[in-house]
Protein backbone atom coordinates (compact mmCIF):
# COMPACT_ATOMS: atom_id res chain seq x y z
CA UNK A 1 0.00 0.00 0.00
CA UNK A 2 1.39 3.41 -0.97
CA UNK A 3 1.46 6.47 1.22
CA UNK A 4 -1.58 8.74 0.97
CA UNK A 5 -1.24 12.28 2.24
CA UNK A 6 -4.10 14.20 3.83
CA UNK A 7 -3.68 17.96 3.99
CA UNK A 8 -5.90 20.17 6.10
CA UNK A 9 -5.74 23.27 8.29
CA UNK A 10 -8.20 24.76 10.77
CA UNK A 11 -7.58 28.19 9.24
CA UNK A 12 -9.48 27.11 6.11
CA UNK A 13 -12.63 26.53 8.13
CA UNK A 14 -12.56 30.15 9.33
CA UNK A 15 -13.29 31.69 5.94
CA UNK A 16 -16.50 33.71 6.29
CA UNK A 17 -18.42 34.62 3.12
CA UNK A 18 -21.21 36.22 5.16
CA UNK A 19 -24.85 35.28 5.76
CA UNK A 20 -26.10 35.15 2.16
CA UNK A 21 -27.54 31.65 1.88
CA UNK A 22 -27.81 30.41 -1.69
CA UNK A 23 -27.75 33.97 -3.02
CA UNK A 24 -24.77 36.03 -4.17
CA UNK A 25 -25.73 39.05 -2.06
CA UNK A 26 -28.15 39.90 0.77
CA UNK A 27 -31.47 41.60 0.04
CA UNK A 28 -34.44 43.22 1.76
CA UNK A 29 -36.62 40.14 1.47
CA UNK A 30 -33.91 37.53 1.89
CA UNK A 31 -33.80 36.43 5.50
CA UNK A 32 -30.14 35.94 6.45
CA UNK A 33 -28.97 32.35 6.69
CA UNK A 34 -25.58 30.65 6.72
CA UNK A 35 -23.85 30.75 3.36
CA UNK A 36 -24.11 27.68 1.14
CA UNK A 37 -20.30 27.54 1.05
CA UNK A 38 -19.97 26.92 4.77
CA UNK A 39 -17.23 25.16 6.72
CA UNK A 40 -19.51 22.38 7.92
CA UNK A 41 -19.33 19.96 4.99
CA UNK A 42 -15.53 20.15 5.15
CA UNK A 43 -15.24 20.06 8.93
CA UNK A 44 -17.62 17.12 9.11
CA UNK A 45 -15.52 15.23 6.54
CA UNK A 46 -12.40 15.72 8.63
CA UNK A 47 -14.32 14.71 11.78
CA UNK A 48 -15.69 11.60 10.06
CA UNK A 49 -12.16 10.54 9.15
CA UNK A 50 -11.25 10.90 12.83
CA UNK A 51 -14.25 8.95 14.10
CA UNK A 52 -13.89 6.10 11.61
CA UNK A 53 -10.15 5.82 12.25
CA UNK A 54 -9.27 6.23 8.58
CA UNK A 55 -7.25 9.33 9.37
CA UNK A 56 -4.81 7.15 11.32
CA UNK A 57 -3.88 5.37 8.07
CA UNK A 58 -3.14 8.67 6.30
CA UNK A 59 -0.04 10.85 6.33
CA UNK A 60 -1.66 13.91 7.91
CA UNK A 61 0.09 17.16 7.09
CA UNK A 62 -0.26 20.92 7.38
CA UNK A 63 1.35 23.41 5.01
CA UNK A 64 2.34 27.08 5.02
CA UNK A 65 0.12 29.64 3.29
CA UNK A 66 0.86 30.34 -0.36
CA UNK A 67 3.41 33.08 -0.91
CA UNK A 68 2.59 36.00 -3.17
CA UNK A 69 5.31 34.86 -5.57
CA UNK A 70 3.45 31.60 -6.10
CA UNK A 71 0.04 33.28 -6.39
CA UNK A 72 1.43 35.74 -8.95
CA UNK A 73 2.24 32.98 -11.43
CA UNK A 74 -1.50 32.76 -12.07
CA UNK A 75 -3.15 35.85 -10.62
CA UNK A 76 -2.49 39.41 -11.72
CA UNK A 77 -0.76 41.78 -9.33
CA UNK A 78 -3.72 44.13 -9.54
CA UNK A 79 -6.15 41.42 -8.43
CA UNK A 80 -3.93 40.39 -5.51
CA UNK A 81 -3.67 44.03 -4.45
CA UNK A 82 -7.46 44.38 -4.62
CA UNK A 83 -7.86 41.34 -2.36
CA UNK A 84 -5.41 42.86 0.13
CA UNK A 85 -7.28 46.15 0.08
CA UNK A 86 -10.63 44.45 0.51
CA UNK A 87 -9.31 42.44 3.42
CA UNK A 88 -8.21 45.62 5.17
CA UNK A 89 -11.55 47.25 4.37
CA UNK A 90 -13.60 44.56 6.12
CA UNK A 91 -14.21 42.40 3.07
CA UNK A 92 -16.33 42.64 -0.03
CA UNK A 93 -16.84 40.64 -3.22
CA UNK A 94 -13.81 39.42 -5.15
CA UNK A 95 -15.74 39.62 -8.42
CA UNK A 96 -18.67 37.41 -9.29
CA UNK A 97 -20.44 35.66 -6.41
CA UNK A 98 -17.24 35.52 -4.35
CA UNK A 99 -18.01 37.40 -1.11
CA UNK A 100 -15.55 37.44 1.76
CA UNK A 101 -15.00 39.02 5.15
CA UNK A 102 -11.94 39.81 7.30
CA UNK A 103 -9.78 36.71 7.70
CA UNK A 104 -10.98 35.15 4.47
CA UNK A 105 -7.84 36.08 2.54
CA UNK A 106 -5.67 34.32 5.13
CA UNK A 107 -7.87 31.26 4.73
CA UNK A 108 -7.63 31.45 0.94
CA UNK A 109 -3.84 31.66 1.06
CA UNK A 110 -3.83 28.72 3.44
CA UNK A 111 -6.08 26.77 1.09
CA UNK A 112 -3.77 27.43 -1.86
CA UNK A 113 -0.84 26.43 0.34
CA UNK A 114 -2.41 23.03 1.00
CA UNK A 115 -2.82 22.45 -2.73
CA UNK A 116 0.79 23.51 -3.38
CA UNK A 117 2.15 21.15 -0.74
CA UNK A 118 0.05 18.20 -1.89
CA UNK A 119 1.08 18.60 -5.53
CA UNK A 120 4.74 19.02 -4.63
CA UNK A 121 4.84 15.96 -2.35
CA UNK A 122 3.25 13.72 -4.99
CA UNK A 123 5.13 15.20 -7.96
CA UNK A 124 8.47 14.61 -6.25
CA UNK A 125 7.59 11.08 -5.12
CA UNK A 126 7.49 11.89 -1.41
CA UNK A 127 3.88 10.63 -1.33
CA UNK A 128 2.11 8.21 -3.66
CA UNK A 129 -1.07 10.29 -3.77
CA UNK A 130 -2.79 12.91 -1.66
CA UNK A 131 -6.07 14.61 -0.76
CA UNK A 132 -6.10 18.32 0.13
CA UNK A 133 -9.14 19.52 2.10
CA UNK A 134 -9.06 23.04 0.68
CA UNK A 135 -11.43 25.87 1.61
CA UNK A 136 -12.32 28.26 0.14
CA UNK A 137 -12.52 26.32 -3.13
CA UNK A 138 -10.63 27.54 -6.17
CA UNK A 139 -11.79 26.08 -9.48
CA UNK A 140 -13.83 29.14 -10.51
CA UNK A 141 -11.19 31.77 -9.69
CA UNK A 142 -9.62 33.40 -12.74
CA UNK A 143 -6.40 35.41 -13.05
CA UNK A 144 -8.04 38.74 -12.28
CA UNK A 145 -11.42 37.74 -10.88
CA UNK A 146 -12.89 35.76 -8.02
CA UNK A 147 -15.96 33.76 -8.99
CA UNK A 148 -18.39 31.29 -7.49
CA UNK A 149 -17.17 31.23 -3.85
CA UNK A 150 -13.54 31.04 -5.08
CA UNK A 151 -10.92 33.68 -4.26
CA UNK A 152 -7.68 32.04 -5.40
CA UNK A 153 -7.07 29.37 -8.03
CA UNK A 154 -5.75 26.57 -5.84
CA UNK A 155 -5.07 24.11 -8.66
CA UNK A 156 -3.55 26.50 -11.24
CA UNK A 157 -1.35 28.04 -8.54
CA UNK A 158 -0.11 24.62 -7.40
CA UNK A 159 0.51 23.29 -10.92
CA UNK A 160 2.25 26.43 -12.14
CA UNK A 161 4.57 26.33 -9.15
CA UNK A 162 5.41 22.65 -9.64
CA UNK A 163 6.14 23.22 -13.32
CA UNK A 164 8.25 26.29 -12.61
CA UNK A 165 10.35 24.22 -10.21
CA UNK A 166 10.77 21.40 -12.72
CA UNK A 167 8.84 18.92 -10.59
CA UNK A 168 6.41 18.00 -13.36
CA UNK A 169 5.92 18.79 -17.05
CA UNK A 170 2.63 17.37 -18.35
CA UNK A 171 -0.44 17.52 -16.12
CA UNK A 172 -4.02 16.38 -16.61
CA UNK A 173 -6.76 18.08 -14.57
CA UNK A 174 -10.09 16.28 -14.17
CA UNK A 175 -12.86 18.41 -12.64
CA UNK A 176 -15.98 16.49 -11.63
CA UNK A 177 -17.52 19.28 -9.59
CA UNK A 178 -21.11 19.85 -10.77
CA UNK A 179 -20.11 23.33 -11.92
CA UNK A 180 -17.77 24.02 -14.83
CA UNK A 181 -14.07 24.28 -13.97
CA UNK A 182 -13.66 27.62 -15.73
CA UNK A 183 -10.62 28.63 -13.67
CA UNK A 184 -8.47 25.76 -14.83
CA UNK A 185 -9.72 26.16 -18.38
CA UNK A 186 -8.77 29.84 -18.44
CA UNK A 187 -5.40 29.19 -16.82
CA UNK A 188 -4.22 26.64 -19.39
CA UNK A 189 -6.38 27.31 -22.45
CA UNK A 190 -3.42 27.78 -24.78
CA UNK A 191 -1.06 25.33 -23.05
CA UNK A 192 -0.49 21.99 -24.85
CA UNK A 193 1.13 20.44 -21.77
CA UNK A 194 -1.90 20.74 -19.47
CA UNK A 195 -5.06 18.84 -20.35
CA UNK A 196 -8.16 20.24 -18.66
CA UNK A 197 -11.26 18.03 -18.52
CA UNK A 198 -14.50 19.14 -16.88
CA UNK A 199 -17.59 16.97 -16.48
CA UNK A 200 -20.35 19.19 -15.14
CA UNK A 201 -24.03 20.06 -15.25
CA UNK A 202 -24.78 22.05 -18.39
CA UNK A 203 -25.95 25.62 -17.92
CA UNK A 204 -25.47 25.73 -14.16
CA UNK A 205 -22.54 27.98 -13.12
CA UNK A 206 -20.92 29.83 -14.76
CA UNK A 207 -23.50 30.37 -17.49
CA UNK A 208 -20.96 31.71 -20.00
CA UNK A 209 -18.47 28.81 -20.05
CA UNK A 210 -18.29 25.03 -20.17
CA UNK A 211 -19.39 24.21 -23.71
CA UNK A 212 -17.94 21.29 -25.65
CA UNK A 213 -16.89 23.66 -28.42
CA UNK A 214 -14.34 25.26 -26.06
CA UNK A 215 -11.43 23.07 -27.10
CA UNK A 216 -8.45 25.32 -26.32
CA UNK A 217 -6.66 27.76 -28.58
CA UNK A 218 -3.31 28.12 -30.30
CA UNK A 219 -0.88 25.42 -29.25
CA UNK A 220 -3.42 24.30 -26.68
CA UNK A 221 -6.16 23.49 -29.19
CA UNK A 222 -7.38 20.01 -28.38
CA UNK A 223 -6.13 20.10 -24.78
CA UNK A 224 -9.41 21.32 -23.25
CA UNK A 225 -12.41 19.00 -22.98
CA UNK A 226 -15.83 19.91 -21.58
CA UNK A 227 -18.66 17.47 -20.99
CA UNK A 228 -21.72 19.63 -20.16
CA UNK A 229 -24.05 16.88 -18.95
CA UNK A 230 -27.83 17.50 -18.95
CA UNK A 231 -29.50 17.89 -15.54
CA UNK A 232 -30.68 14.63 -14.04
CA UNK A 233 -27.67 12.51 -14.97
CA UNK A 234 -27.06 9.64 -12.62
CA UNK A 235 -24.68 6.78 -12.04
CA UNK A 236 -25.10 5.24 -15.49
CA UNK A 237 -24.43 8.47 -17.38
CA UNK A 238 -21.33 9.31 -15.37
CA UNK A 239 -20.01 5.75 -15.70
CA UNK A 240 -20.47 5.86 -19.47
CA UNK A 241 -18.87 9.30 -19.80
CA UNK A 242 -15.87 8.22 -17.76
CA UNK A 243 -15.36 4.97 -19.69
CA UNK A 244 -15.99 6.28 -23.19
CA UNK A 245 -14.38 9.71 -23.12
CA UNK A 246 -12.83 11.02 -19.88
CA UNK A 247 -10.43 8.17 -19.11
CA UNK A 248 -9.39 7.58 -22.75
CA UNK A 249 -8.69 11.30 -23.17
CA UNK A 250 -6.47 11.45 -20.09
CA UNK A 251 -4.81 8.15 -20.97
CA UNK A 252 -4.00 9.37 -24.47
CA UNK A 253 -2.51 12.56 -23.08
CA UNK A 254 -0.14 10.52 -20.86
CA UNK A 255 0.48 13.09 -18.11
CA UNK A 256 3.20 12.98 -15.47
CA UNK A 257 0.57 13.88 -12.84
CA UNK A 258 -3.22 13.75 -12.57
CA UNK A 259 -5.03 16.34 -10.44
CA UNK A 260 -8.73 15.96 -9.65
CA UNK A 261 -10.86 18.96 -8.74
CA UNK A 262 -12.96 16.92 -6.35
CA UNK A 263 -16.35 18.50 -5.80
CA UNK A 264 -19.23 16.54 -4.31
CA UNK A 265 -22.06 18.74 -5.57
CA UNK A 266 -22.99 16.21 -8.26
CA UNK A 267 -24.35 14.08 -5.41
CA UNK A 268 -28.09 13.47 -5.20
CA UNK A 269 -28.44 15.50 -1.99
CA UNK A 270 -26.73 18.72 -3.06
CA UNK A 271 -28.79 21.95 -3.00
CA UNK A 272 -26.83 23.60 -5.83
CA UNK A 273 -26.78 20.75 -8.35
CA UNK A 274 -29.32 18.58 -10.14
CA UNK A 275 -27.39 15.32 -10.55
CA UNK A 276 -27.93 11.96 -8.83
CA UNK A 277 -24.63 10.42 -7.73
CA UNK A 278 -24.23 8.49 -4.49
CA UNK A 279 -21.09 7.99 -2.43
CA UNK A 280 -20.31 4.69 -4.18
CA UNK A 281 -20.27 6.50 -7.55
CA UNK A 282 -17.59 8.89 -6.30
CA UNK A 283 -15.59 5.94 -4.96
CA UNK A 284 -15.91 4.20 -8.33
CA UNK A 285 -14.67 7.27 -10.24
CA UNK A 286 -11.78 7.56 -7.80
CA UNK A 287 -10.84 3.92 -8.35
CA UNK A 288 -10.92 4.44 -12.12
CA UNK A 289 -8.65 7.47 -11.99
CA UNK A 290 -6.36 5.82 -9.46
CA UNK A 291 -5.96 2.76 -11.69
CA UNK A 292 -5.26 5.04 -14.65
CA UNK A 293 -2.63 6.94 -12.66
CA UNK A 294 -0.95 3.65 -11.76
CA UNK A 295 -0.67 2.83 -15.46
CA UNK A 296 0.39 6.14 -16.94
CA UNK A 297 1.76 8.51 -14.29
CA UNK A 298 3.60 6.29 -11.80
CA UNK A 299 0.55 6.51 -9.49
CA UNK A 300 0.92 10.29 -9.10
CA UNK A 301 -2.57 11.51 -8.25
CA UNK A 302 -3.69 14.53 -6.22
CA UNK A 303 -7.27 15.34 -5.27
CA UNK A 304 -8.14 18.92 -4.34
CA UNK A 305 -11.43 19.50 -2.52
CA UNK A 306 -13.81 21.86 -4.33
CA UNK A 307 -17.59 22.19 -3.99
CA UNK A 308 -20.22 20.12 -2.20
CA UNK A 309 -22.91 21.80 -0.14
CA UNK A 310 -24.82 19.00 1.54
CA UNK A 311 -23.47 19.13 5.07
CA UNK A 312 -24.78 15.66 5.82
CA UNK A 313 -24.01 13.80 2.60
CA UNK A 314 -20.80 15.35 1.25
CA UNK A 315 -18.74 13.91 4.16
CA UNK A 316 -19.90 10.39 3.27
CA UNK A 317 -18.84 10.94 -0.34
CA UNK A 318 -15.49 12.34 0.79
CA UNK A 319 -14.81 9.43 3.12
CA UNK A 320 -15.56 6.96 0.32
CA UNK A 321 -13.15 8.80 -1.99
CA UNK A 322 -10.32 8.99 0.53
CA UNK A 323 -10.80 5.35 1.56
CA UNK A 324 -10.46 4.37 -2.09
CA UNK A 325 -7.49 6.65 -2.64
CA UNK A 326 -5.69 5.10 0.33
CA UNK A 327 -6.69 1.52 -0.48
CA UNK A 328 -8.10 1.18 3.03
CA UNK A 329 -10.60 -1.32 4.40
CA UNK A 330 -12.03 1.25 6.81
CA UNK A 331 -15.46 2.22 5.54
CA UNK A 332 -18.49 3.95 7.01
CA UNK A 333 -22.09 2.99 6.20
CA UNK A 334 -23.97 5.28 3.84
CA UNK A 335 -27.65 4.81 4.80
CA UNK A 336 -28.86 6.34 1.52
CA UNK A 337 -26.39 4.83 -0.95
CA UNK A 338 -28.65 1.98 -2.06
CA UNK A 339 -31.78 4.11 -2.05
CA UNK A 340 -30.19 6.67 -4.37
CA UNK A 341 -28.92 3.91 -6.65
CA UNK A 342 -32.47 2.58 -6.92
CA UNK A 343 -33.98 5.89 -8.03
CA UNK A 344 -35.61 5.98 -11.45
CA UNK A 345 -33.45 7.18 -14.36
CA UNK A 346 -30.18 6.12 -12.72
CA UNK A 347 -29.40 3.95 -15.73
CA UNK A 348 -27.87 5.47 -18.84
CA UNK A 349 -30.67 7.15 -20.83
CA UNK A 350 -30.77 7.14 -24.64
CA UNK A 351 -30.38 10.93 -24.91
CA UNK A 352 -27.40 10.81 -22.56
CA UNK A 353 -25.70 8.05 -24.56
CA UNK A 354 -26.27 9.91 -27.83
CA UNK A 355 -24.81 13.12 -26.41
CA UNK A 356 -21.69 11.43 -25.02
CA UNK A 357 -21.18 9.45 -28.23
CA UNK A 358 -21.39 12.67 -30.23
CA UNK A 359 -18.79 14.32 -27.99
CA UNK A 360 -16.54 11.31 -28.34
CA UNK A 361 -16.63 11.54 -32.13
CA UNK A 362 -15.98 15.26 -32.02
CA UNK A 363 -13.09 14.80 -29.60
CA UNK A 364 -11.43 12.14 -31.74
CA UNK A 365 -11.40 14.60 -34.65
CA UNK A 366 -9.47 17.29 -32.74
CA UNK A 367 -7.40 15.57 -30.03
CA UNK A 368 -3.70 15.92 -30.97
CA UNK A 369 -2.64 12.86 -28.98
Amino acid sequence: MGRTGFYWHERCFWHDPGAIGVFSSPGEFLQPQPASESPESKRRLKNLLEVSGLIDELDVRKAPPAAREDLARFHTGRYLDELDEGDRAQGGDAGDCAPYRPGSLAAARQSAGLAIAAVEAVATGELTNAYALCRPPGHHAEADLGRGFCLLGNIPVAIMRARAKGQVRRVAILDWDVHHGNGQQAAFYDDPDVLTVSIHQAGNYPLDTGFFEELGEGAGHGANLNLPMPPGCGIGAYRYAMQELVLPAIGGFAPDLIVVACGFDACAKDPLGKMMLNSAAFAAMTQQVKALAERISDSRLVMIHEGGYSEGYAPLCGHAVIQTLAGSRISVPDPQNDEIAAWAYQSLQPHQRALIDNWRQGWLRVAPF
Side-chain angles (χ1 to χ4, degrees):
M1 185 183 300
R3 296 177 63 199
T4 296
F6 178 69
Y7 289 81
W8 79 284
H9 199 289
E10 177 68 24
R11 170 71 69 183
C12 294
F13 301 153
W14 291 18
H15 162 52
D16 182 8
I20 60 171
V22 299
F23 305 100
S24 59
S25 60
E28 179 182 359
F29 299 104
L30 302 177
Q31 181 176 335
Q33 67 182 88
S36 297
E37 203 296 289
S38 77
E40 278 307 294
S41 61
K42 276 67 76 173
R43 193 189 301 275
R44 287 172 183 243
L45 170 53
K46 188 262 179 182
N47 290 346
L48 184 58
L49 295 171
E50 293 271 10
V51 171
S52 74
L54 178 55
I55 201 166
D56 297 324
E57 294 186 0
L58 308 175
D59 193 329
V60 182
R61 300 185 175 195
K62 301 286 198 305
R68 180 166 177 128
E69 174 188 3
D70 295 324
L71 298 176
R73 290 191 182 91
F74 174 49
H75 293 289
T76 65
R78 178 178 179 180
Y79 175 63
L80 295 175
D81 289 342
E82 289 173 350
L83 285 180
D84 286 333
E85 292 169 5
D87 191 57
R88 291 192 294 269
Q90 305 304 301
D93 194 314
D96 172 27
C97 301
Y100 65 102
R101 295 171 66 99
S104 291
L105 185 53
R109 287 175 173 154
Q110 185 66 65
S111 184
L114 296 178
I116 286 172
V119 166
E120 179 172 51
V122 173
T124 59
E126 185 179 340
L127 293 171
T128 304
N129 52 44
Y131 192 100
L133 187 58
C134 295
R135 180 177 183 265
H139 76 139
H140 292 312
E142 298 181 359
D144 58 354
L145 186 71
R147 302 186 74 177
F149 309 143
C150 303
L151 303 181
L152 298 172
N154 299 328
I155 290 175
V157 165
I159 290 175
M160 288 181 180
R161 182 182 187 275
R163 294 178 73 198
K165 292 184 173 296
Q167 297 165 350
V168 67
R169 188 177 70 86
R170 287 171 69 84
V171 181
I173 303 169
L174 169 57
D175 190 325
W176 63 47
D177 189 283
V178 83
H179 306 102
H180 175 233
N182 62 288
Q184 288 102 227
Q185 173 174 300
F188 302 109
Y189 203 57
D190 60 354
D191 191 331
D193 288 324
V194 179
L195 173 68
T196 51
V197 181
S198 179
I199 179 170
H200 52 271
Q201 180 184 323
N204 191 321
Y205 181 90
L207 295 176
D208 58 338
T209 67
F211 304 99
F212 175 79
E213 293 76 16
E214 299 164 5
L215 294 164
E217 63 184 9
H221 183 71
N224 189 79
L225 173 60
N226 287 318
L227 284 71
M229 306 279 277
C233 284
I235 298 168
Y238 271 80
R239 181 187 300 121
Y240 191 72
M242 291 288 288
Q243 292 174 348
E244 295 298 313
L245 186 48
V246 172
L247 296 172
I250 297 174
F253 184 72
D256 307 318
L257 169 72
I258 300 174
V259 178
V260 175
C262 186
F264 297 116
D265 36 14
C267 81
K269 299 296 183 177
D270 197 89
L272 300 186
K274 295 295 180 286
M275 299 307 203
M276 301 195 300
L277 299 186
N278 58 6
S279 61
F282 284 103
M285 291 193 297
T286 301
Q287 183 59 49
Q288 289 175 310
V289 177
K290 181 182 176 184
L292 180 63
E294 290 171 354
R295 293 198 304 270
I296 67 173
S297 62
D298 197 24
S299 297
R300 288 188 285 266
L301 171 62
V302 179
M303 309 190 79
I304 306 295
H305 194 99
E306 292 290 349
Y309 308 100
S310 171
E311 295 179 2
Y313 200 67
L316 294 173
C317 297
H319 193 284
V321 163
I322 296 171
Q323 175 194 348
T324 304
L325 189 65
S328 173
R329 295 183 178 180
I330 297 178
S331 62
V332 296
D334 174 357
Q336 293 191 305
N337 184 75
D338 294 343
E339 176 190 337
I340 293 170
W343 285 1
Y345 302 102
Q346 280 288 10
S347 60
L348 178 67
Q349 302 299 300
H351 72 285
Q352 297 164 350
R353 176 191 289 270
L355 190 61
I356 295 166
D357 287 345
N358 186 57
W359 288 334
R360 183 175 181 273
Q361 293 303 315
W363 177 252
L364 290 175
R365 288 193 294 269
V366 301
F369 42 83

